[in-house]
Amino acid sequence: MTESKLGWAVPLMRAGYIGKGLVYLAVAGISLYSIWRGGNARDTSSALGWLDTTWGGGVTLFVILVGMVAYALWRVLDATFDLEDYGREAKGIVARIGMLVTGAVHLGIGVTVFSLLFGSGGGSGEGSSIPRHVGTIMSWPGGRWIIGAVALLIVAAGAHYMRQGWTNEYRQHLRANPVTTRWNPVLKAGLIAHGVVVGVVGLLFGFAAWQANPEQAGGTGEAFSWLSGQIYGQILVTAICVGLLGFALFCLVNAAYRIVPKVSGPDVQTLAAKLMPR
């Protein structure tokens, strides 16, 4: 398939980022509401489960489901045809493998949403299933090493997101216009906050591998719990949740204005070029 015939992948990308933005909007918004009421920040499953109980939540969940499937398909196409032009060198290959991993993660979120919409509602309040899956893998020969390798990959992904935010690399993938220019500081903070959460999830996987204890592993909810146990933890978690609202905006802005180099063409002005110091 030639690149010129892959223009239909762009609507998949847009739908995927809309779904992703709604997921993080739900997690961050519901977590902040819970903290304000004296509770704890919520993980992805419980936030989506809460949506399932609200008026209009089913429609939102269906949009998220479509978005998660679209995002997974987009990442497969992006990695296969290198639509974002990462190249065939080691750095580019690692980036494309990372796309497949993130696609699989979001497809997993889609499975959770599907179970809420069409199943018995499992996952809305049963806690994270990650320790159970980690325990299964640890029972395999060399399972601890596999989990350790996964931990390193997740930490590296978190560091990658934080670096993209800190160095403004994400600007290379966005069109320059009044929206992206005006909201650039929020996009930057959101991407860094997302990187922090992903990095902590990776650390938890590392603890699980090191201590041979799958209960140490976890997802977003466990990351929030770990952060809340640190000095000024509740303030830190609240700040991260506010940051994740910024990441939700980052996803929605990407849905509208993300540049796909091998499809969009070379004549599009990027946010990086617009804000380049003169």
Side-chain angles (χ1 to χ4, degrees):
M1 189 180 297
T2 62
E3 293 158 6
S4 61
K5 295 182 179 179
L6 283 167
W8 58 270
V10 175
L12 276 179
M13 177 270 290
R14 300 197 191 287
Y17 273 108
I18 289 172
K20 189 174 179 180
L22 290 175
V23 168
Y24 280 95
L25 183 62
V27 171
I30 293 169
S31 291
L32 287 170
Y33 178 74
S34 177
I35 291 170
W36 179 65
R37 294 292 298 270
N40 298 316
R42 302 295 188 91
D43 62 11
T44 304
S45 294
S46 62
L48 295 175
W50 185 87
L51 269 182
D52 191 39
T53 66
T54 62
W55 183 86
V59 175
T60 304
L61 286 174
F62 183 76
V63 173
I64 290 174
L65 173 60
V66 172
M68 293 300 93
V69 174
Y71 189 82
L73 290 173
W74 153 249
R75 280 313 191 189
V76 171
L77 288 170
D78 193 7
T80 303
F81 297 101
D82 194 20
L83 296 180
E84 295 186 291
D85 202 19
Y86 283 99
R88 298 180 180 276
E89 298 180 355
K91 183 179 178 180
I93 292 172
V94 170
R96 292 160 73 179
I97 292 173
M99 293 174 193
L100 295 175
V101 173
T102 58
V105 169
H106 287 83
L107 186 61
I109 296 175
V111 170
T112 299
V113 175
F114 184 88
S115 71
L116 288 169
L117 287 173
F118 305 109
S120 60
S124 61
E126 298 173 358
S128 175
S129 61
I130 291 175
R132 183 174 71 253
H133 297 314
V134 169
T136 299
I137 294 173
M138 280 189 175
S139 67
W140 301 347
R144 286 178 64 185
W145 291 101
I146 295 174
I147 297 301
V150 170
L152 289 175
L153 288 173
I154 298 173
V155 169
H160 172 70
Y161 290 129
M162 286 187 281
R163 183 184 62 80
Q164 277 194 321
W166 186 260
T167 64
N168 300 313
E169 184 180 327
Y170 66 92
R171 296 177 182 177
Q172 299 173 12
H173 303 284
L174 291 174
R175 293 176 183 267
N177 58 41
V179 173
T180 56
T181 303
R182 182 182 303 116
W183 290 99
N184 177 62
V186 178
L187 305 180
K188 180 185 183 82
L191 191 56
I192 292 173
H194 177 58
V196 170
V197 174
V198 172
V200 172
V201 170
L203 288 177
L204 296 179
F205 271 73
F207 295 155
W210 181 261
Q211 300 176 11
N213 179 8
E215 295 300 321
Q216 293 281 351
T220 305
E222 288 76 14
F224 285 149
S225 179
W226 185 85
L227 287 168
S228 67
Q230 310 308 307
I231 299 175
Y232 302 113
Q234 196 70 344
I235 296 174
L236 179 59
V237 170
T238 301
I240 292 294
C241 288
V242 172
L244 289 180
L245 288 178
F247 185 69
L249 177 65
F250 176 86
C251 294
L252 296 175
V253 166
N254 271 265
Y257 305 116
R258 190 172 181 87
I259 298 169
V260 184
K262 290 190 176 180
V263 176
S264 303
D267 300 326
V268 180
Q269 185 184 30
T270 67
L271 184 60
K274 174 77 172 179
L275 299 180
M276 184 180 297
R278 302 185 186 280

